[in-house]
Amino acid sequence: MQKWNRFQTVAVELTKLVVKMSADIAEQDARWMRRAIELSARGRGSVEPNPMVGCVIVQNGEVIGEGWHQEFGGAHAEVNALQQCSVATDGATAYVTLEPCCHHGKTPPCTEALIRAGITRVVIAHPDPFSEVSGNGIVALRNAGIEIEMGVLKQEASSALSPYLYRIREGLPWLIAKWAMTLDGRIATKTGDSQWISNEHSRAKTHLIRGQVDGVMVGIGTALADDPFLTPRPSGPRIASRIVIDSKARLPLDCKLVQTASEYPCLIAVGPEADPSRCEKLAARGCQVWQGKALDPQKRLKDFLKELASDGMTNLLVEGGGALLGSLFDSQLICEAHVFIAPKIIGGDHAIAPIGGIGINQLSDSQVFSETQIDVLDGDIHFSGRLMR
């Protein structure tokens, strides 16, 4: 009996030790994966249509190399991290925010690089839904005898990867709505005066976002009223296409968008009723004209967005006006929003609101934001968040 009791005591202590070791490993995995996610964000605006990915290489509890995908067509995060390693990588663990690629694209497979480096354990936050990978990267690593740990900080990684994941799964670009309004929810006075509702700090933030997206989209009403350039100032890592939803091809030939089409891409989406001669004139001045066939404007808009996604456009910034934003909100196509609220009041029944469209009948049907953040920019309130789908 005494021996049996000693055996039970030893078994209990061993169990506690195993549990503690498992907890320690899980804590370390989360720590290094969090760093990999942090690194991945450095690729924003430079890697699309590829995903933002980060990688950390750890040996004996110490980081020996880290990297991220820095530019489209360049080395992926795993290769960059391996190249930065300060010591031999045999027996090391790699922490990667997305399943390593296993196919030849613009660069060789990352799975091969990890195998050659002697990595014995790979911790992955999120699987890659891209058809060329989609589980095959994991299989390739396991077949090489590498231990795989899946799903560490998957939710956090998913947030960073959302635009890429959405384009791959839904075949649509990640739409980011942006508007500036007063405390009473107006984007312009009853006469249409809107410059400037937000302050310089808010406008600088908008220019920063413009420099990180594939396209900046407005409706024809906004293009006619504001005659915007829609370019980032200063320029960012991407040159966004300026996009106008203009069903009847009404965009003036002498507007800033058309006049600068040779310097910055300008894409006009028109409907079947558009005047062919107007389309030809816009094209002759360097604009790209896309003509949809669908008579229903919302279907035509979605067809257009699908084509943009198939061309690799991942992030699109939608800057209004109310009709376009309303249509996109009605269709539940907006994924993220940045709203700049100025400490001003316009008032009046006929002042212009930011969101048009059909809207909802019941408050329970509201589109609810998550991952919200509020910052104060020299008096303006900057709200950002993602829509829960």
Side-chain angles (χ1 to χ4, degrees):
M1 180 63 70
Q2 195 173 13
K3 290 182 178 179
W4 174 250
N5 288 338
R6 282 202 301 269
F7 174 77
Q8 284 184 314
T9 301
V10 171
V12 168
E13 292 303 318
L14 283 173
T15 301
K16 288 180 180 179
L17 181 61
V18 170
V19 170
K20 184 180 183 304
M21 288 176 62
S22 297
D24 289 344
I25 291 172
E27 183 181 341
Q28 290 298 309
D29 284 351
R31 175 188 177 187
W32 301 127
M33 187 60 75
R34 194 167 287 111
R35 174 59 178 165
I37 293 170
E38 180 184 314
L39 289 168
S40 73
R42 298 184 183 182
R44 180 175 287 110
S46 299
V47 303
E48 292 82 2
N50 283 354
M52 298 186 300
V53 180
C55 179
V56 174
I57 311 293
V58 175
Q59 181 82 278
N60 298 323
E62 299 289 336
V63 174
I64 60 173
E66 57 182 30
W68 63 95
H69 187 22
Q70 297 180 14
E71 60 180 355
F72 178 69
H76 289 186
E78 298 93 324
V79 173
N80 284 330
L82 288 169
Q83 289 177 345
Q84 292 297 316
C85 284
S86 53
V87 298
T89 54
D90 290 328
T93 296
Y95 293 86
V96 192
T97 58
L98 185 69
E99 177 182 358
C101 67
C102 54
H103 65 291
H104 284 270
K106 291 186 176 295
T107 60
C110 291
T111 51
E112 292 182 3
L114 292 168
I115 293 166
R116 284 196 307 270
I119 299 295
T120 56
R121 183 170 180 257
V122 176
V123 182
I124 301 168
H126 204 289
D128 190 343
F130 181 51
S131 59
E132 295 285 341
V133 185
S134 191
N136 294 320
I138 295 169
V139 170
L141 294 172
R142 280 186 173 145
N143 287 344
I146 294 175
E147 178 188 349
I148 301 295
E149 183 71 33
M150 281 295 301
V152 174
L153 297 191
K154 182 180 179 181
Q155 189 60 42
E156 289 90 333
S158 177
S159 178
L161 290 162
S162 287
Y164 167 77
L165 297 175
Y166 186 76
R167 181 176 60 81
I168 294 297
R169 290 169 174 165
E170 304 296 329
L172 290 165
W174 182 266
L175 295 188
I176 306 166
K178 172 268 167 183
W179 68 90
M181 68 181 185
T182 56
L183 286 172
D184 56 338
R186 298 292 188 264
I187 61 171
T189 68
K190 61 184 177 182
T191 64
D193 184 31
S194 64
Q195 296 185 353
W196 296 100
I197 284 178
S198 59
N199 63 30
E200 290 183 5
H201 291 79
S202 296
R203 297 198 294 276
K205 181 67 175 181
T206 297
H207 283 290
L208 177 65
I209 299 171
R210 282 183 184 176
Q212 296 175 332
V213 298
D214 297 295
V216 181
M217 181 186 293
V218 297
I220 183 59
T222 296
L224 293 174
D226 297 345
D227 191 19
F229 278 111
L230 299 182
T231 54
R233 297 180 293 276
S235 59
R238 298 192 84 71
I239 298 177
S241 294
R242 287 94 49 79
I243 302 169
V244 183
I245 305 301
D246 181 13
S247 60
K248 296 181 180 179
R250 292 189 291 148
L251 192 67
L253 300 179
D254 60 352
C255 74
K256 293 172 182 174
L257 289 168
V258 175
Q259 292 298 312
T260 58
S262 60
E263 302 172 61
Y264 304 99
C266 184
L267 174 56
I268 318 298
V270 304
E273 71 272 33
D275 182 346
S277 65
R278 289 284 304 165
C279 295
E280 290 174 6
K281 290 176 181 177
L282 288 167
R285 283 163 174 78
C287 297
Q288 181 182 352
V289 180
W290 179 91
Q291 187 164 30
K293 298 179 180 179
L295 296 176
D296 177 48
Q298 283 192 315
K299 184 182 185 308
R300 187 166 67 242
L301 180 56
K302 191 167 185 179
D303 289 343
F304 176 58
L305 293 172
K306 285 182 176 179
E307 188 153 328
L308 294 180
S310 69
D311 288 341
M313 286 200 179
T314 303
N315 296 286
L316 293 186
L317 180 64
V318 185
E319 294 201 25
L324 176 58
L325 284 171
S327 177
L328 292 169
F329 272 108
D330 286 342
S331 300
Q332 298 193 354
L333 292 173
I334 296 294
C335 304
E336 181 178 336
H338 289 262
V339 184
F340 299 90
I341 306 168
K344 302 173 183 177
I345 295 289
I346 288 179
D349 293 336
H350 301 293
I352 303 170
I355 310 297
I358 299 171
I360 59 174
N361 294 322
Q362 303 293 326
L363 195 57
S364 58
D365 295 329
S366 300
Q367 298 182 52
V368 181
F369 285 93
S370 64
E371 300 182 46
T372 58
Q373 183 174 335
I374 294 176
D375 300 305
V376 178
L377 304 175
D378 194 27
D380 283 1
I381 297 171
H382 173 210
F383 166 89
S384 61
R386 293 180 169 187
L387 280 165
M388 298 172 62
R389 298 299 185 197

